Amino acid sequence: MEGRVKSSILYFQIRDVCILKKAKWKMKIDTEEYHRSLVISPFAFYILFFAATIVYITGLYVKVMDVDAAQYASISREMLISQHYLQVLDHGKNYLDKPPLLFWLSALSFKIFGISAFSYKLPSFLFTLLGVYSTFRLAKHLYDKTTGLLAALIIYTSQAFFLFNNDVRTDTLLTAFVIFSCWQLVLFSDLKNIWNLLAGFAGVAMAMMAKGPLGAVIPVSALLVHYVLKCQWQNFFRWQWIAGVILTLIILAPMVTGLYQQFGKEGPKFFFWTQSFGRITGENQWRNDAGYFYFTHVFLWSFLPWSILVAPAMLFSLVKIFKSRFAKDALTEYYSVGGFLLPFIALSLSKYKLPHYIFVLYPLAAIFTAAFIMHIIPVSKAATRILGIVQLIICAGMITMAIIICTQWFPGAGFVLWLPVTVGAAAGFWLWLMPKNLISRIVLPSALIAIVVNLLLNAHAYPALLKYQSGSELAAVAIKENVPEDKIFALNYSNYSFDFYFGNAPQILNSRQALTYIKLEQDFWLIVSEEILELLDQQNIQVKRIFSAEDYHITTLTLEFLNQDTRQQTTKKVYLVKI
């Protein structure tokens, strides 16, 4: 009897051990499968980077847009011709509004490649690549390689980056140099390498020459928040910071010298204070008094398809910081959160706001969002699935809107364009349906749909839209008609895209000057509005040749303009006539 009991006990012990081992083995298999579902192949990232680069390159051939991009291209062309590199001129007059870096780089590009939209946009695109690479390297240093690749992919496929590489302004260079300087200064903080310090402050100087002191404010905010919350007080008292500031001032010296020569003390003051901080204090005359939440609204569309993911990423970071009572180990790093949040609040207090002002913060948003995607939401399968569904809805909305734009508002896209778009969109939704790869469901379809949408915009929608930019359209006519530069005048009409593409700004006349000139001269050309054309007819002035173009401010789109049925109500005619 005793032997039977012992045998039974031994049997149940062996059975329990086997069940336990089986359960552990199954749990191990499930865990391994789950972790495999979070892995994205680097090859997938590289394919998406390549596809996005193709889209960016198509955008290089899209015409420059009025007003800002065309003005900056025209100033760069004038700088090349006049060879006044320290004094920035606009139609021969002193120009103070923006620092000279964009003009210097564009003038150099014009000299090498000739004057064109491609040459104007190329330097900004090349430095965008530097900014994306810097985002990758910084996120890799702070987290790991996969997080770095994801952060770079997020920023490279964000709507803001596609947009400001098409409508090129000073913010493109500013963003690239700011994230480059952040990367280098973080490396210096951790590795104590003097070359990282010098590279970081050189990046700060270049960012300031792109758009003023904001280029220094963001790296300082990132370092300040990290040092304070990590209790790294010793970092505030390094003598190397003084060397970095001196290097920055040395690099800025040519620009500051040119400002002083051109404007006296007002030039450097405007650069270092009025243009940036004056918008918060009210000293700057520019003000549109947009609301405090203006940039929140802008962020929602300009950081698509990733903007919804940023909110939980930021919320998670802030909740963790406050719950831990600002413990130094609450987050892995505070650079990205601090560098994004403090300048975002400061810019929101500005009296004058435009959408592209916050684009400079997006690489830092990409870093803490990528860290959230890779290291936080995988803890919860439910959160991963929910965010995957949210991203599917966003992708469906984006591709639907792009189709509406290219079929209802600006029809005419050909089969050659629709084929890759259809294949790309189908591949994006197929990737979402893959049930075993949870992170891929969030990341890959979002990036692919963003690429497809912007291929449609760059290859079809923007060129169709630019047909309503009268300056570039009439410039093409003037070149075709071999209009002499000294025989063309504008009557109450000024347009930078005409100046850039024609190669010269026409002399501006008022109505009385034009009538006087008509009596004295023959065989010259006028750019006039419809009202002026009627006035010429009333004066019995013979018009030998006449060409027209539709005119609309294409960077301020409205539904009334986009709707083909009501578009004519929003545009006006501009004419090029030979007298």
Side-chain angles (χ1 to χ4, degrees):
M1 183 71 178
E2 184 178 352
R4 290 181 179 178
V5 171
K6 288 181 178 180
S7 299
S8 298
I9 292 173
L10 181 61
Y11 166 76
F12 285 112
Q13 287 178 338
I14 294 172
R15 188 195 68 177
D16 290 344
V17 169
C18 291
I19 292 173
L20 183 61
K21 284 186 175 181
K22 184 177 180 180
K24 287 183 177 179
W25 178 78
K26 187 176 186 303
M27 184 181 297
K28 181 180 179 181
I29 294 298
D30 290 344
T31 303
E32 289 177 352
E33 287 183 356
Y34 179 63
H35 283 294
R36 279 198 299 271
S37 73
L38 306 178
V39 175
I40 304 177
S41 167
F43 181 72
F45 282 111
Y46 301 146
I47 290 294
L48 290 170
F49 282 125
F50 176 77
T53 301
I54 297 299
V55 175
Y56 277 99
I57 291 173
T58 63
L60 297 179
Y61 294 92
V62 176
K63 293 177 181 178
V64 294
M65 299 181 183
D66 280 315
V67 177
D68 288 354
Q71 181 184 16
Y72 301 158
S74 180
I75 290 173
S76 303
R77 179 188 175 280
E78 186 172 351
M79 179 177 283
L80 174 66
I81 294 172
S82 68
Q83 297 186 3
H84 290 156
Y85 296 107
L86 293 184
Q87 289 79 40
V88 180
L89 303 175
D90 181 7
H91 292 163
K93 299 177 181 178
N94 290 333
Y95 179 83
L96 182 59
D97 192 44
K98 292 293 185 290
L101 183 61
L102 174 63
F103 312 134
W104 287 345
L105 293 173
S106 298
L108 177 62
S109 183
F110 288 159
K111 186 174 182 64
I112 297 172
F113 301 105
I115 297 173
S116 66
F118 175 88
S119 302
Y120 170 67
K121 296 179 181 182
L122 181 61
S124 294
F125 171 62
L126 294 177
F127 281 104
T128 291
L129 296 178
L130 172 65
V132 172
Y133 179 72
S134 300
T135 304
F136 160 67
R137 291 298 301 270
L138 178 55
K140 179 185 176 183
H141 174 76
L142 296 174
Y143 296 97
D144 53 57
K145 181 179 179 179
T146 304
T147 304
L149 287 171
L150 178 54
L153 182 66
I154 287 174
I155 196 62
Y156 202 42
T157 56
S158 66
Q159 198 58 39
F161 263 51
F162 281 117
L163 178 61
F164 76 3
N165 272 277
N166 206 325
D167 186 15
V168 172
R169 311 182 191 193
T170 54
D171 305 86
T172 317
L173 294 173
L174 171 70
T175 304
F177 285 116
V178 162
I179 192 61
F180 171 79
S181 63
C182 287
W183 166 39
Q184 291 298 314
L185 292 175
V186 168
L187 288 182
F188 170 72
S189 297
D190 295 343
L191 305 178
K192 313 299 187 294
N193 189 321
I194 192 66
W195 293 109
N196 294 132
L197 175 84
L198 297 178
F201 276 95
V204 169
M206 298 296 281
M208 293 178 71
M209 286 195 293
K211 204 177 179 177
L214 186 62
V217 168
I218 296 170
V220 168
S221 298
L223 295 173
L224 177 67
V225 172
H226 185 84
Y227 291 165
V228 170
L229 294 182
K230 286 288 186 180
C231 300
Q232 297 177 357
W233 309 111
Q234 71 281 3
N235 283 326
F236 288 103
F237 305 102
R238 290 183 176 176
W239 65 267
Q240 291 94 334
W241 299 133
I242 299 175
V245 171
I246 292 173
L247 175 65
T248 300
L249 293 176
I250 291 172
I251 296 174
L252 290 175
M255 181 196 70
V256 175
T257 300
L259 286 171
Y260 185 79
Q261 291 175 349
Q262 201 168 359
F263 300 99
K265 292 186 292 185
E266 184 58 31
K269 178 188 174 185
F270 182 86
F271 170 77
F272 284 106
W273 181 261
T274 309
Q275 175 69 341
S276 297
F277 302 109
R279 301 195 179 195
I280 298 175
T281 63
E283 295 174 64
N284 192 304
Q285 63 178 344
W286 290 95
R287 52 191 305 145
N288 57 8
D289 293 318
Y292 292 126
F293 296 101
Y294 174 82
F295 284 132
T296 304
H297 305 147
V298 168
F299 185 85
L300 289 175
W301 66 260
S302 61
F303 204 60
L304 285 173
W306 314 102
S307 48
I308 298 301
L309 293 170
V310 176
M314 175 60 75
L315 184 63
F316 171 83
S317 299
L318 294 178
V319 167
K320 198 167 184 182
I321 291 171
F322 282 101
K323 271 192 171 183
S324 68
R325 298 180 180 180
F326 296 89
K328 64 180 181 179
D329 295 325
L331 298 179
T332 302
E333 52 87 18
Y334 297 95
Y335 296 113
S336 57
V337 173
F340 175 85
L341 193 58
L342 289 187
F344 188 93
I345 294 172
L347 287 167
S348 296
L349 298 175
S350 172
K351 301 294 190 299
Y352 186 74
K353 304 180 184 73
L354 290 174
H356 54 277
Y357 287 2
I358 59 166
F359 292 178
V360 62
L361 305 176
Y362 289 4
L364 294 169
I367 291 175
F368 67 73
T369 303
F372 177 75
I373 293 172
M374 295 305 304
H375 301 281
I376 306 303
I377 62 173
V379 175
S380 170
K381 292 183 179 180
T384 309
R385 291 192 178 97
I386 290 171
L387 290 175
I389 293 172
V390 169
Q391 288 304 108
L392 175 66
I393 295 171
I394 291 172
C395 290
M398 288 180 67
I399 195 68
T400 300
M401 180 57 67
I403 291 172
I404 290 173
I405 291 172
C406 295
T407 57
Q408 300 300 312
W409 293 343
F410 298 102
F415 174 78
V416 174
L417 178 59
W418 283 114
L419 179 61
V421 167
T422 303
V423 172
F429 290 112
W430 176 78
L431 287 169
W432 187 88
L433 292 172
M434 294 175 62
K436 292 185 178 181
N437 203 324
L438 302 179
I439 294 297
S440 291
R441 177 176 290 185
I442 295 174
V443 173
L444 300 184
S446 302
L448 189 54
I449 293 301
I451 292 168
V452 166
V453 165
N454 282 279
L455 176 62
L456 269 174
L457 294 179
N458 283 358
H460 176 70
Y462 290 140
L465 179 63
L466 281 157
K467 292 178 181 178
Y468 295 88
Q469 182 170 275
S470 62
S472 52
E473 291 295 296
L474 291 180
V477 173
I479 293 171
K480 184 178 179 180
E481 294 295 315
N482 295 315
V483 177
E485 291 183 359
D486 60 342
K487 290 290 186 179
I488 188 166
F489 303 87
L491 200 55
N492 298 327
Y493 176 86
S494 178
N495 190 288
Y496 281 105
S497 64
F498 182 91
D499 303 345
F500 176 69
Y501 281 102
F502 182 66
N504 190 49
Q507 182 180 338
I508 307 298
L509 305 176
N510 59 37
S511 300
R512 182 176 298 177
Q513 289 171 329
L515 291 174
T516 302
Y517 197 89
I518 288 169
K519 295 176 182 178
L520 299 175
E521 293 287 338
Q522 294 292 325
D523 292 329
F524 68 96
W525 296 75
L526 278 176
I527 304 175
V528 298
S529 64
E530 194 159 9
E531 294 79 11
I532 300 298
L533 188 65
E534 292 176 359
L535 179 62
L536 294 177
D537 184 57
Q538 292 171 9
Q539 296 290 327
N540 295 319
I541 296 172
Q542 182 182 4
V543 174
K544 299 176 181 177
R545 302 202 66 185
I546 182 169
F547 301 91
S548 68
E550 297 285 347
D551 186 65
Y552 183 81
H553 194 336
I554 61 172
T555 56
T556 56
L557 300 178
T558 64
L559 286 176
E560 190 178 13
F561 169 76
L562 293 172
N563 186 343
Q564 290 191 85
D565 296 331
T566 58
R567 186 174 298 161
Q568 291 299 320
Q569 302 170 18
T570 66
T571 62
K572 59 183 180 180
K573 290 274 190 181
V574 179
Y575 298 88
L576 175 65
V577 297
K578 184 178 183 181
I579 305 298

